[in-house]
Amino acid sequence: MSMEYENKLVLAPMVRVGTLPFRLLAAEFGADITYGEEIIDHKLVKCERRLNEHIGSVDFVEKGTESVVFRTCNEEREHVVFQIGTSDALRALTAAQMVCNDVAAIDINMGCPKSFSLSGGMGAALLSKPDLIHDILTTLRRNLNTPVTCKIRLLKSPQDTVELARRIEKTGVSALAVHGRKVADRPRDPAKWSEIADVVASVSIPVIANGDLFEYDDFQRIKAATGASSVMVARGALWNASIFSSQGKLPWEDVKIEYVRKSILWDNDIKSTKHTLKEMIMHYSCLELAEGKAVIKSNSLGDLAKLYGEEKYFDFVTKNRFLVNKSNSLTSLFCQTDTALFLSVTSFKLSMKCREENESLCF
């Protein structure tokens, strides 16, 4: 299996945000490649793969529990990237082999600066261990048919970053994502696009540039500044996933509602859903206001549906799961409903497209 990394718009991996509903939302707006949240290999190897016939997904569930560690579906099969947090080549391979047939690529996290990752020798801790990096990436490359990539941060000097990138290239990875900040940098610190350009000029594999992308026009700006093959966005997509749309951003309130709908449709974890909503709200408003307080108090997706006026959507989806499952889409349901209900349960973007093109609707 191959995957193209030229001229792609990429959703960055974001913990507790990059779950199935948000990935599908980003793809709907134009993201070509969508990374899932980082999953630690220790956690994945304790899981079992289940076909979730109730909602039409593939779930990796922690054995002995009903805790879903990773959820995906056929709709995103060709563009979803599974990111692993690891400090051991064989354990990383075991984890990758569990999911590789359900995703488009495997990525190794080498950039997370959080203390949890660093203390476990994962994430950015790998940046100072080039031999271990080589071991992990070559082990995956030799044993998987799925494309393998990794995501790094800048090192102390541009030359150090270039040397590491060249070593990574020799492992045979399909692409390299570079976040234009060092481990000690904070989000408020400007991303160093010039140092990403140094990497691009030094390797022949595709480089995905990441850092300080908040508008659609920024995609071309960073490509021009760095020469990167593709671009990756994190916070800009979190705050408004329609950043990927060449037609311009939609109001964030509309995007927020669509995220809630997708979370309901795919039975997303309530804690993850609330976390993502709170991040959106904090950017545009304040959690101390009525909406923020109501999200915090919500204990279920049903509560969120009521908060955002999506009770009919919630009830409809919940009561008709068996029909959704039969067709792996809501097409058959829409044939049995009136126009008003059809509009109430569809994505605002996809519903308009389907009305114009008279095509069936898949979520």
Side-chain angles (χ1 to χ4, degrees), residues 31-78:
D32 302 299
I33 300 172
T34 55
Y35 280 58
E37 61 176 335
E38 175 195 26
I39 304 294
I40 306 303
D41 55 7
H42 282 289
K43 194 163 189 177
L44 188 67
V45 297
K46 296 178 183 178
C47 294
E48 59 184 5
R49 181 182 184 274
R50 296 183 191 174
L51 291 176
N52 188 333
E53 297 182 353
H54 187 60
I55 62 174
S57 65
V58 175
D59 295 349
F60 290 84
V61 182
E62 190 171 356
K63 294 177 183 177
T65 76
E66 293 302 315
S67 176
V68 178
V69 173
F70 178 67
R71 171 168 287 164
T72 185
C73 65
N74 287 335
E75 287 86 337
E76 66 169 5
R77 172 67 180 79
E78 301 302 318

Side-chain angles (χ1 to χ4, degrees), residues 10-14 22 210-211 213 232-239 244:
V10 185
L11 175 68
M14 289 182 280
F22 197 84
N210 174 218
L213 297 152
M232 173 184 281
V233 58
R235 289 176 296 159
L238 168 59
W239 297 334
F244 292 107

Side-chain angles (χ1 to χ4, degrees), residues 206-238:
V207 173
I208 306 170
N210 174 218
D212 289 350
L213 297 152
F214 304 108
E215 302 293 339
Y216 186 83
D217 289 346
D218 290 338
F219 295 142
Q220 287 304 317
R221 289 181 55 241
I222 194 172
K223 283 194 70 177
T226 65
S229 300
S230 296
V231 294
M232 173 184 281
V233 58
R235 289 176 296 159
L238 168 59

Side-chain angles (χ1 to χ4, degrees), residues 290-310:
E291 180 186 5
K293 289 182 177 180
V295 168
I296 292 172
K297 291 181 180 178
S298 296
N299 294 315
S300 66
L301 292 174
D303 290 342
L304 291 177
K306 184 176 181 180
L307 172 62
Y308 289 109
E310 295 295 327

Side-chain angles (χ1 to χ4, degrees), residues 238-308:
L238 168 59
W239 297 334
N240 191 326
S242 65
I243 188 176
F244 292 107
S245 173
S246 61
Q247 304 303 310
K249 285 183 184 177
L250 293 175
W252 79 277
E253 292 89 349
D254 293 345
V255 177
K256 175 180 60 181
I257 294 299
E258 182 61 13
Y259 170 70
V260 171
R261 290 179 177 180
K262 279 182 166 51
S263 293
I264 292 168
L265 185 65
W266 293 100
D267 194 23
N268 197 45
D269 175 71
I270 182 62
K271 291 182 180 179
S272 167
T273 304
K274 287 173 59 175
H275 172 78
T276 302
L277 288 172
K278 287 189 291 184
E279 290 291 328
M280 292 180 184
I281 293 168
M282 284 190 292
H283 179 66
Y284 293 98
S285 180
C286 174
L287 290 178
E288 296 303 313
L289 298 179
E291 180 186 5
K293 289 182 177 180
V295 168
I296 292 172
K297 291 181 180 178
S298 296
N299 294 315
S300 66
L301 292 174
D303 290 342
L304 291 177
K306 184 176 181 180
L307 172 62
Y308 289 109

